[in-house]
């Protein structure tokens, strides 16, 4: 009886009322009307309870990972696997309110062994993992007096990842240990005990067959005599809540997360084994601590999934990240940093001594306060804004510093990384603004162009 709709309950109430009036007023004809009104919803309930529909459902996401602010499409398929046609079907998919209203569909009769497909769009400006489902199927009678709800158990997850921007390739000075296009190779000084074998491939020289490994593995194995040096890079993301300003998608933290995703995927495409590291010491690495250097699609997916869930932390310093880099921080380091204090500046100086090449994207977090109002119009609490003194100190410690403010373009900043990495070419923070480069002297242009890969 709980499946009765408002119309069905009204019919039942009207039938009971008509029966009472027939008894009180002595009108037998009214009793016939009362029986008809009360019997209709009860018969509808019995018909739905005896329904033997066998319905299967499926869901497909296109794509399964979508950047924040862009739409994804969810495709639903309903199959009638029984030998009898269905009646009126109403579908409702359970969707978090962040993705929009719950989609509802009405399907007419589905023939035996037939199917119907419907789709709807979802969109979120916030990163995260959002469950979709389970799908609810409502069965109704032709008069709309009764509805029964049946839920499927299958559910899917939509991952909303940070926005990724394409970056131009740049060459940084002193990065031979971390540059992805390096073709340096390590020749294995291999005797019979330390040879590195691999399976035989069509076209391999038969003189390289390693018979001892062949006997051990039961298949033809050859010596791997030379191996490319794997370039490594670490992307350090500052998640300290004290170092960021703003709320929601327009905050400095979301800008830093998007920049971390863009730089990480750019380095993966350039051939780096990338490790993602936060100020809390949490790292996403591959087997053996060699970074995400496996299949590029798998590595990129793991990176994006991690950045989709990263949140602000209550950390106060960069000491945990310094400890991780101390154990293995050679190669290229790119740090996305919020507002800093003297203690964090000292920690960054120590980090630089353990790396081959270091690039710091220093965010002027107060410029994101109150929807991008100028920092001097607000007096924010916490660390001081990124100024020329902090840029100068980091540069003297060996960092290539890129000062970023609200509204700055990451691709433009990244191109400046190659131009600003020449030793002894320090410039104050104001010269890191785009308009300053437009005013560069013509004599400086050739050397800047040679810095691009």
């Amino acid at each position: 009886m709980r499946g009765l709709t408002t119309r069905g309950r009204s019919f039942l109430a009207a039938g009971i009322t008509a029966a009472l009036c027939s008894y009180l007023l002595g009108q037998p004809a009214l009793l016939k009307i009362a029986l008809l009104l009360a019997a209709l919803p009860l018969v509808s309930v019995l018909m739905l309870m005896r329904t033997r529909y066998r319905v299967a459902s499926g869901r497909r996401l296109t794509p399964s990972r979508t950047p924040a602010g862009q739409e994804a499409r969810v495709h639903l398929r309903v199959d009638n696997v029984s030998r009898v046609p269905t009646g009126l079907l109403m579908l409702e998919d359970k969707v978090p309110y962040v993705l929009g209203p719950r989609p509802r569909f009405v399907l007419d009769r589905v023939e035996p062994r037939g199917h119907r497909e419907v789709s709807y769009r979802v969109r979120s400006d916030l990163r995260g993992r959002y469950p979709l489902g389970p799908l609810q199927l409502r069965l109704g009678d032709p008069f709309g007096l009764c509805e029964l709800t049946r839920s499927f158990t299958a559910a899917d997850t939509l991952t909303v990842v940070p926005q990724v921007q394409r970056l131009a390739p740049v060459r940084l000075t002193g990065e031979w240990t971390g540059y992805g296009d390096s073709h340096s190779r390590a020749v294995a000084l291999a005797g019979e005990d330390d040879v590195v074998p691999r399976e035989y491939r069509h076209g391999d020289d038969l003189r390289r067959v390693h018979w001892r490994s062949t006997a051990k593995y039961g298949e033809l194995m050859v010596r791997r005599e030379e191996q490319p040096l794997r370039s490594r890079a670490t992307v350090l993301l500052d998640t300290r809540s004290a170092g960021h300003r703003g709320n929601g998608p327009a905050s400095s933290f979301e800008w830093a997360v998007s920049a971390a995703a863009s730089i990480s995927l750019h380095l993966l495409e350039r051939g780096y084994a990338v490790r993602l590291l936060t100020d809390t010491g949490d790292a996403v690495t591959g087997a053996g601590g060699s970074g995400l250097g496996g299949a590029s699609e798998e590595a990129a997916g793991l990176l994006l999934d991690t950045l989709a869930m990263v949140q602000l932390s209550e950390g106060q310093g960069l000491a945990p990240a310094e400890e991780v880099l101390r154990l293995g921080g050679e190669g290229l380091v790119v740090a996305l940093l919020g507002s800093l204090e003297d203690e964090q500046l000292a920690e960054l100086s120590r980090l630089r001594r353990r790396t081959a090449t270091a690039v710091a994207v220093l965010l002027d977090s107060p410029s994101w306060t109150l929807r991008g109002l100028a920092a001097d119009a607000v007096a924010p609490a916490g660390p001081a804004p990124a100024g020329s003194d902090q840029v100068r100190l980091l540069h003297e410690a060996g960092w290539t510093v890129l000062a970023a403010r609200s509204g700055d373009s990451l691709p433009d900043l990244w191109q400046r990384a190659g131009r600003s990495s020449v030793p002894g070419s320090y410039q104050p923070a104001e010269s890191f603004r785009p308009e300053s480069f437009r005013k560069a002297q013509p004599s400086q242009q050739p050397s800047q162009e040679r810095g691009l890969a």
Side-chain angles (χ1 to χ4, degrees):
M1 299 298 291
R2 287 179 297 181
L4 288 176
T5 62
T6 302
R7 180 183 300 177
R9 296 175 189 273
S10 301
F11 267 65
L12 187 59
I16 296 174
T17 303
L20 291 176
C21 293
S22 173
Y23 175 75
L24 295 175
L25 300 176
Q27 297 291 334
L30 191 58
L31 182 59
K32 298 179 181 180
I33 299 177
L35 292 177
L36 177 62
L37 293 176
L40 278 176
L42 298 178
V43 171
S44 298
V45 170
L46 292 176
M47 289 178 58
L48 287 182
M49 290 181 62
R50 293 176 60 86
T51 299
R52 291 293 183 265
Y53 298 155
R54 296 178 57 194
V55 179
S57 70
R59 183 186 294 102
R60 178 169 52 89
L61 306 180
T62 310
S64 59
R65 296 185 184 94
T66 180
Q70 297 188 16
E71 291 183 342
R73 183 168 289 275
V74 183
H75 302 268
L76 300 176
R77 176 181 172 125
V78 177
D79 292 86
N80 180 16
V81 297
S82 64
R83 297 180 179 180
V84 296
T86 68
L88 188 66
L89 301 180
M90 288 171 284
L91 303 180
E92 180 178 336
D93 207 8
K94 188 176 181 181
V95 174
Y97 72 93
V98 178
L99 300 181
R102 287 191 177 185
R104 294 181 175 88
F105 305 95
V106 177
L107 301 183
D108 209 347
R109 177 181 178 274
V110 182
E111 64 278 4
R113 309 298 182 181
H115 70 275
R116 296 288 186 273
E117 292 187 2
V118 294
S119 65
Y120 62 93
R121 294 176 295 180
V122 291
R123 179 181 181 273
S124 175
D125 294 328
L126 302 176
R127 296 176 293 106
R129 295 171 63 87
Y130 300 99
L132 299 178
L135 181 65
Q136 292 182 343
L137 178 64
R138 293 184 180 181
L139 304 176
D141 67 289
F143 303 104
L145 301 178
C146 182
E147 287 183 358
L148 294 182
T149 301
R150 299 176 182 176
S151 296
F152 295 92
T153 57
D156 293 278
T157 301
L158 174 66
T159 304
V160 180
V161 300
Q163 293 183 353
V164 177
Q165 304 179 61
R166 180 164 295 277
L167 305 179
V170 297
R171 185 182 296 275
L172 304 175
T173 59
E175 63 165 355
W176 68 271
T177 58
Y179 189 61
D181 285 344
S182 174
H183 296 287
S184 302
R185 293 181 177 269
V187 179
L189 303 177
E192 287 297 317
D193 295 330
D194 56 0
V195 67
V196 182
R198 63 168 174 82
E199 66 278 4
Y200 175 83
R201 299 170 186 169
H202 180 71
D204 285 339
D205 190 349
L206 292 178
R207 290 175 296 180
R208 294 174 53 194
V209 174
H210 190 253
W211 298 109
R212 181 180 297 181
S213 299
T214 300
K216 178 180 178 181
Y217 293 103
E219 59 178 329
L220 207 58
M221 306 292 290
V222 297
R223 292 188 303 271
R224 184 171 2 204
E225 297 180 348
E226 59 178 11
Q227 302 178 39
L229 291 175
R230 188 66 179 174
S231 302
R232 294 193 283 179
T234 299
V235 178
L236 173 61
L237 176 62
D238 184 4
T239 64
R240 297 175 299 113
S241 58
H244 294 280
R245 297 289 185 273
N247 297 312
S251 64
S252 62
F253 179 65
E254 292 300 324
W255 193 96
V257 172
S258 176
S262 303
I263 294 174
S264 299
L265 266 61
H266 171 74
L267 295 178
L268 278 175
E269 293 176 356
R270 301 286 291 167
Y272 285 84
V274 180
R275 172 175 56 178
L276 178 65
L277 178 65
T278 65
D279 59 291
T280 60
D282 298 330
V284 180
T285 59
S290 60
L292 301 172
S296 59
E297 291 185 3
E298 181 181 353
L302 180 58
L303 267 173
L304 292 176
D305 288 346
T306 303
L307 289 172
M309 299 301 296
V310 68
Q311 300 295 330
L312 289 169
S313 68
E314 298 300 326
Q316 300 299 322
L318 303 176
E322 179 186 357
E323 180 66 19
V324 174
L325 287 176
R326 184 179 65 84
L327 299 176
E330 66 275 8
L332 173 65
V333 172
V334 181
L336 286 305
L337 305 170
S339 298
L340 301 174
E341 293 179 337
D342 294 341
E343 180 181 356
Q344 284 91 47
L345 286 172
E347 293 169 344
L348 288 171
S349 299
R350 294 193 295 268
L351 286 179
R352 174 62 185 90
R353 291 195 293 269
R354 298 187 176 94
T355 63
T357 306
V359 178
V361 181
L362 185 58
L363 276 64
D364 187 5
S365 299
S367 65
W368 272 269
T369 306
L370 295 181
R371 299 181 181 180
L373 291 178
D376 54 4
V378 184
S388 58
D389 290 339
Q390 292 183 343
V391 174
R392 178 179 55 82
L393 291 174
L394 288 176
H395 187 88
E396 291 176 351
W399 288 82
T400 298
V401 185
L402 306 174
R405 292 176 58 86
S406 175
D408 281 353
S409 170
L410 177 63
D412 293 341
L413 289 172
W414 187 250
Q415 283 192 345
R416 273 180 258 156
R419 303 172 184 174
S420 321
S421 60
V422 181
S425 62
Y426 166 72
Q427 296 174 341
E430 291 76 12
S431 65
F432 286 96
R433 304 295 297 158
E435 54 269 16
S436 301
F437 285 98
R438 299 192 191 101
K439 300 177 182 178
Q441 297 179 1
S443 60
Q444 299 174 348
Q445 296 300 324
S447 61
Q448 293 174 358
E449 294 299 327
R450 284 195 298 269
L452 296 178

